[in-house]
Amino acid sequence: MIGNDVVDLHLAARESNWRRKGFLEKVFTTAEQEIISTSKDKDTTVWLLWSMKEAAYKAHQRAFNLPVKLNWLAQECKLLTFSLEHASGEVNVNGNLYFTTSKITSEFIHTSAEKDRSSGAENAIFEAPSSEAKAALIKRVSGYFSLEPAQLQLEKDAFGMPFLSLSKTSIFDRFSLSGHGRFSTYILSLINCETSVKQY
Amino acid sequence: METNEIIYCLKKIVKPYVQNDVAFQDFGQGTDFIKDLEINSANLVDIVLDVEDEFNIAIDNDSMDNMTTVNDAVRIIKSKQKQA
């Protein structure tokens, strides 16, 4: 399963003060706090690790059908590579490992997480409201299944996880949406999707 | 502390982080911080910290896990105040 998360770095700087007392302790393990305190660019490192946790938990939520939880400490991040524009890592969520890839710019950090490295995930990042990412997702999926975009409805399950439905039947949920500030994104995987569609 | 009093305090705490003002007008026990108020997840950390400060309690990780609605927050605050 896959998940993704985007952080608008300017909005994060305005709206979230991670330096406030207790913030880091609620979100990051001792090992992660060590990565942050020894990094040259602490703001980027905080939001990179944050987006890794969020993306991995979304993938985990999808895989196990779980509600939203405020359990950032249960997602343990390990950075494998971290350069100016990219990072890769692993996030352990209750013994389940998710692989992450992050794109870093001066404006945003986007992380995609996948359980299986060969999920063939496609990412799309828009500097636009979430309606644009949603429309692009629907266009991509409907095209793949030879449907008209208008035939697909974007819905949410009881836990707030989105899925696409055709004639009120869920046909596709291997995607994740994210939005923050100026940015909206999606990740989707269309690999080995044929079987799930033939039945409709 | 009475439930109504706790809800009144929570409303003040949550206000600066709310993204959906229409849903905020109906703020009550059933309000969901994420689904209804569309609060950014990083601000949920702020809400937990603000609640700790305001009510002078410590919210452990297991309790924090489930603090996604006003109802959850009220339940957690009451149980922590009892322990104090």
Side-chain angles (χ1 to χ4, degrees):
Chain A
M1 273 302 162
I2 52 179
N4 87 135
D5 188 70
V6 67
V7 176
D8 179 328
L9 292 172
H10 294 294
L11 186 67
R14 269 205 312 279
E15 286 193 342
S16 297
N17 174 19
W18 60 264
R19 288 177 173 86
R20 75 178 282 192
K21 189 171 168 284
F23 191 102
L24 293 179
E25 290 78 7
K26 284 268 185 265
V27 177
F28 299 107
T29 64
T30 318
E32 290 159 358
Q33 287 178 48
E34 179 72 18
I35 299 173
I36 293 164
S37 67
T38 56
S39 89
K40 280 186 193 136
D41 184 348
K42 295 187 175 54
D43 290 287
T44 301
T45 309
V46 163
W47 297 119
L48 170 63
L49 294 173
W50 171 271
S51 72
M52 286 168 67
K53 284 172 186 260
E54 292 278 302
Y57 188 68
K58 281 188 199 164
H60 188 68
Q61 234 189 316
R62 189 66 104 183
F64 294 94
N65 199 24
L66 299 168
V68 176
K69 289 198 168 190
L70 313 191
N71 60 348
W72 302 282
L73 288 171
Q75 299 130 33
E76 297 170 36
C77 298
K78 201 160 102 184
L79 278 174
L80 300 175
T81 64
F82 183 12
S83 66
L84 274 179
E85 293 171 345
H86 293 280
S88 63
E90 289 172 359
V91 184
N92 187 330
V93 188
N94 297 328
N96 300 274
L97 215 51
Y98 296 88
F99 302 100
T100 63
T101 313
S102 306
K103 181 178 164 69
I104 304 164
T105 75
S106 57
E107 306 299 314
F108 68 83
I109 295 177
H110 175 261
T111 297
S112 57
E114 49 189 334
K115 182 96 191 109
D116 176 0
R117 276 195 175 109
S118 57
S119 68
E122 301 171 23
N123 288 292
I125 301 164
F126 303 86
E127 189 170 346
S130 62
S131 54
E132 192 145 329
K134 288 172 184 168
L137 171 84
I138 290 172
K139 197 172 169 217
R140 177 76 181 95
V141 175
S142 60
Y144 183 84
F145 293 141
S146 305
L147 299 164
E148 289 301 318
Q151 291 177 275
L152 291 178
Q153 297 294 320
L154 184 63
E155 298 185 57
K156 280 184 177 178
D157 69 14
F159 293 145
M161 297 296 285
F163 62 89
L164 287 171
S165 67
L166 172 69
S167 311
K168 304 211 160 135
T169 309
S170 169
I171 64 157
F172 187 69
D173 68 356
R174 283 161 62 173
F175 68 92
S176 156
L177 292 159
S178 179
H180 187 229
R182 292 164 293 159
F183 301 98
S184 61
T185 65
Y186 72 70
I187 182 174
L188 66 84
S189 169
L190 291 163
I191 303 280
N192 299 326
C193 269
E194 285 78 7
T195 44
S196 63
V197 161
K198 271 180 192 156
Q199 47 189 305
Y200 298 105
Chain B
M1 225 173 171
E2 293 298 320
T3 303
N4 285 347
E5 217 177 325
I6 295 175
I7 292 176
Y8 179 77
C9 288
L10 278 173
K11 194 173 176 182
K12 271 197 301 186
I13 288 173
V14 165
K15 191 171 191 280
Y17 311 115
V18 169
Q19 303 284 339
N20 185 331
D21 293 322
V22 177
F24 188 61
Q25 287 170 10
D26 297 327
F27 191 90
Q29 289 218 47
T31 303
D32 188 300
F33 297 135
I34 303 156
K35 283 185 213 161
D36 299 324
L37 304 180
E38 298 170 24
I39 292 170
N40 282 333
S41 36
N43 285 142
L44 294 172
V45 183
D46 291 304
I47 290 174
V48 173
L49 294 170
D50 291 346
V51 166
E52 288 189 330
D53 290 346
E54 177 73 26
F55 296 93
N56 199 21
I57 53 173
I59 299 175
D60 57 281
N61 295 325
D62 286 343
S63 304
M64 183 170 81
D65 257 23
N66 300 309
M67 210 176 104
T68 54
T69 67
V70 172
N71 216 4
D72 297 329
V74 170
R75 184 173 40 77
I76 291 160
I77 291 162
K78 279 187 172 174
S79 85
K80 298 295 167 193
Q81 283 185 330
K82 234 177 248 171
Q83 288 168 21

